[in-house]
Amino acid sequence: MVTVGVYGFDGESFLRRLRQADVRLLLDVRQRRGVRGPEYAWANSQRLQAALAEARIAYEHHRELAPTTELRHLQYAEDDRQGVGKRSRRELAAEYTRRYTGEILDRADLTQIVAELPGGGTAALLCVERDAGACHRSLIARRLTEQHHVTIDHLLPGH
């Protein structure tokens, strides 16, 4: 399994990177499946799903793994306190991590996701942040590794 963010890619390079990693299933773990800014219009739900279908990559939205609006605002407040923007964040706030884990991740059944992983190729967890460590997908990935022994790699633009 891999994780991937939106930031730093354009639509073409994103699909190319997924193909290089042999991604066959994309698991969207965003709450709101849109991204601000015209350079990221390709990542908005309908456009992304159409591009994935053309590339023969299956798509699933797992809203149950998305942070709530309240949790997102908790992270934004910490970003403001540290003077970092969402697109330049490198790590998650400790309180956000604690609450996301307790309120979302501990209640999620990842067994079903693991059971549906493609037999050939790989699956990708998608959110927006470039660096997995700045995103809740890293917490999901860690849980998958710890409890389900899933090997995780993090895809970055330009690699």
Side-chain angles (χ1 to χ4, degrees):
M1 179 173 261
V2 298
T3 79
V4 65
V6 169
Y7 294 148
F9 286 104
D10 58 29
E12 186 178 311
S13 65
F14 180 79
L15 289 173
R16 184 172 50 249
R17 191 68 185 97
L18 293 182
R19 281 189 213 98
Q20 289 169 347
D22 197 22
V23 170
R24 310 263 177 101
L25 171 63
L26 187 121
L27 306 168
D28 190 338
V29 295
R30 299 177 291 174
Q31 180 190 40
R32 295 180 312 173
R33 296 180 288 164
V35 183
R36 292 179 193 252
E39 71 271 31
Y40 295 113
W42 61 268
N44 293 330
S45 181
Q46 296 302 321
R47 288 183 181 129
L48 177 61
Q49 288 181 64
L52 290 168
E54 189 173 310
R56 296 193 173 145
I57 298 172
Y59 173 91
E60 294 178 6
H61 182 221
H62 285 275
R63 187 180 176 121
E64 76 278 9
L65 294 174
T68 62
T69 300
E70 179 187 358
L71 285 174
R72 287 191 357 261
H73 286 284
L74 176 74
Q75 181 63 55
Y76 299 157
E78 182 62 15
D79 292 345
D80 288 345
R81 190 184 74 71
Q82 292 185 11
V84 298
K86 180 179 181 179
R87 295 184 190 195
S88 59
R89 178 189 320 134
R90 294 281 182 214
E91 61 185 9
L92 294 169
E95 181 65 5
Y96 173 93
T97 298
R98 185 188 70 74
R99 287 195 50 201
Y100 176 83
T101 299
E103 296 172 22
I104 307 291
L105 201 50
D106 287 346
R107 298 176 184 178
D109 181 10
L110 299 180
T111 304
Q112 188 64 34
I113 289 173
V114 172
E116 294 176 2
L117 292 176
T122 193
L125 291 170
L126 168 77
C127 199
V128 295
E129 287 81 3
R130 179 187 185 280
D131 296 308
C135 179
H136 73 287
R137 72 180 187 271
S138 68
L139 304 176
I140 300 166
R142 183 180 322 139
R143 178 67 54 94
L144 286 166
T145 298
E146 291 170 352
Q147 294 186 355
H148 299 278
H149 310 290
V150 174
T151 302
I152 307 284
D153 191 18
H154 302 288
L155 305 181
L156 294 169
H159 290 87

